[in-house]
Structures are given as structure tokens and as C-alpha cells.
Short mmCIF file of all heavy atoms in Angstrom, two decimals:
data_model
loop_
_atom_site.label_atom_id
_atom_site.label_comp_id
_atom_site.label_asym_id
_atom_site.label_seq_id
_atom_site.Cartn_x
_atom_site.Cartn_y
_atom_site.Cartn_z
N THR C 1 1.57 -11.35 0.86
CA THR C 1 0.83 -11.04 -0.36
C THR C 1 -0.39 -11.94 -0.48
O THR C 1 -0.45 -13.02 0.11
CB THR C 1 1.69 -11.22 -1.62
OG1 THR C 1 2.01 -12.61 -1.78
CG2 THR C 1 2.96 -10.39 -1.55
N ARG C 2 -1.36 -11.48 -1.27
CA ARG C 2 -2.56 -12.26 -1.58
C ARG C 2 -2.59 -12.58 -3.07
O ARG C 2 -1.94 -11.89 -3.87
CB ARG C 2 -3.81 -11.45 -1.20
CG ARG C 2 -3.96 -11.19 0.28
CD ARG C 2 -5.19 -10.35 0.54
NE ARG C 2 -5.31 -9.96 1.94
CZ ARG C 2 -6.00 -8.92 2.36
NH1 ARG C 2 -6.64 -8.15 1.49
NH2 ARG C 2 -6.07 -8.64 3.66
N PRO C 3 -3.38 -13.58 -3.46
CA PRO C 3 -3.40 -13.97 -4.87
C PRO C 3 -3.76 -12.85 -5.85
O PRO C 3 -3.32 -12.87 -7.00
CB PRO C 3 -4.46 -15.08 -4.90
CG PRO C 3 -4.40 -15.69 -3.55
CD PRO C 3 -4.14 -14.53 -2.62
N ASN C 4 -4.54 -11.86 -5.40
CA ASN C 4 -4.93 -10.79 -6.32
C ASN C 4 -3.88 -9.69 -6.43
O ASN C 4 -4.09 -8.68 -7.10
CB ASN C 4 -6.26 -10.17 -5.87
CG ASN C 4 -6.17 -9.46 -4.53
OD1 ASN C 4 -5.15 -9.52 -3.85
ND2 ASN C 4 -7.24 -8.79 -4.15
N GLY C 5 -2.73 -9.88 -5.75
CA GLY C 5 -1.65 -8.90 -5.83
C GLY C 5 -1.58 -7.95 -4.66
O GLY C 5 -0.65 -7.15 -4.57
N ASP C 6 -2.54 -8.01 -3.75
CA ASP C 6 -2.51 -7.14 -2.57
C ASP C 6 -1.30 -7.47 -1.69
O ASP C 6 -0.94 -8.64 -1.51
CB ASP C 6 -3.78 -7.28 -1.75
CG ASP C 6 -4.97 -6.58 -2.38
OD1 ASP C 6 -4.76 -5.74 -3.27
OD2 ASP C 6 -6.12 -6.88 -1.98
N ILE C 7 -0.70 -6.43 -1.13
CA ILE C 7 0.40 -6.56 -0.19
C ILE C 7 -0.12 -6.17 1.18
O ILE C 7 -0.77 -5.13 1.34
CB ILE C 7 1.58 -5.65 -0.58
CG1 ILE C 7 1.97 -5.89 -2.05
CG2 ILE C 7 2.78 -5.88 0.34
CD1 ILE C 7 2.93 -4.85 -2.59
N THR C 8 0.13 -6.99 2.20
CA THR C 8 -0.40 -6.74 3.54
C THR C 8 0.71 -6.93 4.57
O THR C 8 1.73 -7.57 4.31
CB THR C 8 -1.56 -7.71 3.87
OG1 THR C 8 -1.06 -9.05 3.88
CG2 THR C 8 -2.68 -7.59 2.85
N PRO C 9 0.51 -6.37 5.78
CA PRO C 9 1.53 -6.54 6.84
C PRO C 9 1.65 -7.98 7.32
O PRO C 9 2.71 -8.41 7.75
CB PRO C 9 1.02 -5.64 7.97
CG PRO C 9 0.02 -4.73 7.35
CD PRO C 9 -0.58 -5.48 6.22
N CYS C 10 0.54 -8.73 7.26
CA CYS C 10 0.56 -10.13 7.67
C CYS C 10 -0.65 -10.83 7.06
O CYS C 10 -1.53 -10.18 6.48
CB CYS C 10 0.53 -10.26 9.20
SG CYS C 10 -1.08 -9.96 9.94
N CYS C 11 -0.72 -12.14 7.23
CA CYS C 11 -1.80 -12.90 6.58
C CYS C 11 -3.16 -12.62 7.19
O CYS C 11 -4.19 -12.87 6.57
CB CYS C 11 -1.49 -14.40 6.67
SG CYS C 11 -1.43 -15.05 8.35
N ARG C 12 -3.21 -12.11 8.43
CA ARG C 12 -4.49 -11.86 9.09
C ARG C 12 -5.07 -10.48 8.78
O ARG C 12 -6.24 -10.22 9.03
CB ARG C 12 -4.33 -11.99 10.62
CG ARG C 12 -3.86 -13.36 11.07
CD ARG C 12 -4.97 -14.38 10.99
NE ARG C 12 -4.50 -15.72 11.26
CZ ARG C 12 -4.34 -16.25 12.46
NH1 ARG C 12 -4.61 -15.52 13.53
NH2 ARG C 12 -3.92 -17.48 12.60
N SER C 13 -4.26 -9.60 8.28
CA SER C 13 -4.68 -8.22 8.08
C SER C 13 -5.72 -8.10 6.97
O SER C 13 -5.56 -8.67 5.89
CB SER C 13 -3.47 -7.34 7.74
OG SER C 13 -3.89 -6.03 7.41
N ARG C 14 -6.77 -7.37 7.23
CA ARG C 14 -7.77 -7.07 6.21
C ARG C 14 -7.45 -5.76 5.49
O ARG C 14 -8.09 -5.41 4.51
CB ARG C 14 -9.17 -6.98 6.85
CG ARG C 14 -9.66 -8.30 7.42
CD ARG C 14 -9.89 -9.31 6.31
NE ARG C 14 -10.39 -10.57 6.81
CZ ARG C 14 -9.64 -11.62 7.11
NH1 ARG C 14 -8.33 -11.54 6.97
NH2 ARG C 14 -10.17 -12.73 7.56
N GLU C 15 -6.45 -5.04 5.96
CA GLU C 15 -6.04 -3.78 5.36
C GLU C 15 -4.88 -4.05 4.40
O GLU C 15 -3.96 -4.80 4.71
CB GLU C 15 -5.59 -2.79 6.43
CG GLU C 15 -5.13 -1.45 5.91
CD GLU C 15 -6.28 -0.59 5.40
OE1 GLU C 15 -7.37 -0.65 5.98
OE2 GLU C 15 -6.06 0.13 4.40
N THR C 16 -4.93 -3.47 3.21
CA THR C 16 -3.85 -3.65 2.26
C THR C 16 -2.90 -2.45 2.30
O THR C 16 -3.31 -1.32 2.58
CB THR C 16 -4.38 -3.81 0.83
OG1 THR C 16 -5.00 -2.59 0.41
CG2 THR C 16 -5.39 -4.95 0.76
N LEU C 17 -1.64 -2.72 2.02
CA LEU C 17 -0.65 -1.66 1.91
C LEU C 17 -0.59 -1.12 0.48
O LEU C 17 -0.05 -0.05 0.24
CB LEU C 17 0.73 -2.19 2.30
CG LEU C 17 0.84 -2.80 3.70
CD1 LEU C 17 2.24 -3.38 3.92
CD2 LEU C 17 0.51 -1.77 4.78
N GLY C 18 -1.15 -1.87 -0.45
CA GLY C 18 -1.14 -1.52 -1.86
C GLY C 18 -1.25 -2.79 -2.67
O GLY C 18 -1.51 -3.87 -2.14
N ASN C 19 -1.03 -2.68 -3.97
CA ASN C 19 -1.11 -3.83 -4.85
C ASN C 19 0.13 -3.89 -5.73
O ASN C 19 0.67 -2.86 -6.12
CB ASN C 19 -2.37 -3.76 -5.73
CG ASN C 19 -2.64 -5.06 -6.46
OD1 ASN C 19 -2.01 -5.36 -7.48
ND2 ASN C 19 -3.59 -5.83 -5.97
N ILE C 20 0.59 -5.10 -6.00
CA ILE C 20 1.83 -5.29 -6.75
C ILE C 20 1.76 -4.68 -8.14
O ILE C 20 2.78 -4.35 -8.75
CB ILE C 20 2.17 -6.79 -6.82
CG1 ILE C 20 3.66 -6.98 -7.10
CG2 ILE C 20 1.32 -7.52 -7.85
CD1 ILE C 20 4.55 -6.57 -5.97
N LYS C 21 0.54 -4.47 -8.66
CA LYS C 21 0.38 -3.83 -9.97
C LYS C 21 0.67 -2.33 -9.89
O LYS C 21 0.93 -1.70 -10.92
CB LYS C 21 -1.03 -4.05 -10.50
CG LYS C 21 -1.36 -5.49 -10.84
CD LYS C 21 -2.75 -5.64 -11.42
CE LYS C 21 -3.82 -5.33 -10.38
NZ LYS C 21 -5.20 -5.58 -10.90
N GLU C 22 0.61 -1.79 -8.67
CA GLU C 22 0.72 -0.34 -8.50
C GLU C 22 1.99 0.10 -7.79
O GLU C 22 2.37 1.26 -7.84
CB GLU C 22 -0.49 0.17 -7.71
CG GLU C 22 -1.82 -0.16 -8.37
CD GLU C 22 -2.99 -0.01 -7.41
OE1 GLU C 22 -2.73 0.22 -6.20
OE2 GLU C 22 -4.14 -0.14 -7.85
N MET C 23 2.64 -0.82 -7.07
CA MET C 23 3.84 -0.45 -6.32
C MET C 23 4.76 -1.65 -6.15
O MET C 23 4.34 -2.80 -6.29
CB MET C 23 3.46 0.10 -4.94
CG MET C 23 2.73 -0.87 -4.03
SD MET C 23 2.53 -0.24 -2.33
CE MET C 23 1.68 1.30 -2.59
N THR C 24 6.00 -1.36 -5.84
CA THR C 24 6.97 -2.41 -5.58
C THR C 24 6.88 -2.85 -4.10
O THR C 24 6.24 -2.17 -3.28
CB THR C 24 8.40 -1.92 -5.85
OG1 THR C 24 8.71 -0.86 -4.93
CG2 THR C 24 8.53 -1.40 -7.28
N LEU C 25 7.52 -3.94 -3.77
CA LEU C 25 7.57 -4.37 -2.38
C LEU C 25 8.24 -3.32 -1.50
O LEU C 25 7.82 -3.08 -0.36
CB LEU C 25 8.32 -5.70 -2.26
CG LEU C 25 7.64 -6.94 -2.86
CD1 LEU C 25 8.56 -8.14 -2.74
CD2 LEU C 25 6.30 -7.22 -2.17
N GLU C 26 9.28 -2.67 -2.04
CA GLU C 26 9.97 -1.64 -1.26
C GLU C 26 9.06 -0.45 -0.97
O GLU C 26 9.06 0.10 0.14
CB GLU C 26 11.22 -1.16 -2.00
CG GLU C 26 12.02 -0.14 -1.20
CD GLU C 26 13.34 0.22 -1.85
OE1 GLU C 26 13.57 -0.17 -3.00
OE2 GLU C 26 14.15 0.92 -1.19
N GLU C 27 8.26 -0.05 -1.95
CA GLU C 27 7.33 1.06 -1.73
C GLU C 27 6.28 0.70 -0.69
O GLU C 27 5.89 1.54 0.13
CB GLU C 27 6.67 1.45 -3.05
CG GLU C 27 7.63 2.12 -4.03
CD GLU C 27 7.05 2.24 -5.43
OE1 GLU C 27 6.15 1.46 -5.79
OE2 GLU C 27 7.52 3.13 -6.17
N ALA C 28 5.83 -0.54 -0.68
CA ALA C 28 4.86 -0.97 0.33
C ALA C 28 5.49 -1.03 1.71
O ALA C 28 4.86 -0.70 2.72
CB ALA C 28 4.30 -2.34 -0.04
N TRP C 29 6.75 -1.45 1.77
CA TRP C 29 7.45 -1.65 3.05
C TRP C 29 7.50 -0.36 3.87
O TRP C 29 7.37 -0.40 5.10
CB TRP C 29 8.85 -2.16 2.76
CG TRP C 29 9.72 -2.39 3.95
CD1 TRP C 29 10.85 -1.70 4.31
CD2 TRP C 29 9.55 -3.40 4.96
NE1 TRP C 29 11.40 -2.21 5.45
CE2 TRP C 29 10.62 -3.26 5.88
CE3 TRP C 29 8.61 -4.39 5.18
CZ2 TRP C 29 10.76 -4.08 6.99
CZ3 TRP C 29 8.74 -5.22 6.28
CH2 TRP C 29 9.80 -5.06 7.17
N ASN C 30 7.69 0.76 3.22
CA ASN C 30 7.73 2.03 3.95
C ASN C 30 6.67 3.01 3.46
O ASN C 30 6.84 4.22 3.55
CB ASN C 30 9.12 2.66 3.85
CG ASN C 30 10.08 2.10 4.88
OD1 ASN C 30 9.74 2.00 6.07
ND2 ASN C 30 11.27 1.72 4.44
N GLY C 31 5.57 2.47 2.96
CA GLY C 31 4.47 3.32 2.55
C GLY C 31 3.77 3.95 3.74
O GLY C 31 4.01 3.60 4.91
N GLU C 32 2.87 4.85 3.47
CA GLU C 32 2.18 5.61 4.52
C GLU C 32 1.43 4.69 5.48
O GLU C 32 1.49 4.88 6.71
CB GLU C 32 1.21 6.59 3.87
CG GLU C 32 0.48 7.49 4.84
CD GLU C 32 -0.43 8.49 4.15
OE1 GLU C 32 -0.17 8.82 2.98
OE2 GLU C 32 -1.41 8.92 4.78
N LYS C 33 0.75 3.68 4.97
CA LYS C 33 -0.04 2.79 5.83
C LYS C 33 0.85 1.96 6.74
O LYS C 33 0.54 1.77 7.92
CB LYS C 33 -0.93 1.89 4.97
CG LYS C 33 -2.04 2.60 4.25
CD LYS C 33 -2.90 1.63 3.45
CE LYS C 33 -4.04 2.32 2.75
NZ LYS C 33 -4.87 1.37 1.94
N GLN C 34 1.94 1.46 6.20
CA GLN C 34 2.84 0.64 7.01
C GLN C 34 3.51 1.47 8.09
O GLN C 34 3.66 1.02 9.24
CB GLN C 34 3.89 -0.02 6.11
CG GLN C 34 4.84 -0.97 6.82
CD GLN C 34 4.26 -2.35 7.05
OE1 GLN C 34 3.07 -2.48 7.33
NE2 GLN C 34 5.09 -3.37 6.94
#
């Protein structure tokens, strides 16, 4: 995660899986991007 709430696959990734304000960790874990 990043301070602004973004969820990412790893700390180096510039692509977000979503934001904690919009989805849960579980939704990010198996979301379309992941």
C-alpha cells in the first residue's frame, strides 16, 4: 500500500490495483489488474 491509499502488487509498481477508499484488500487481491 501507499500513503494515499493505493494498493499495488509491490513497492516498485507504478500501477495501482485500486484504492482502499474504493475496495477491500480482498477485492484488490483478485481484481482484474492483479
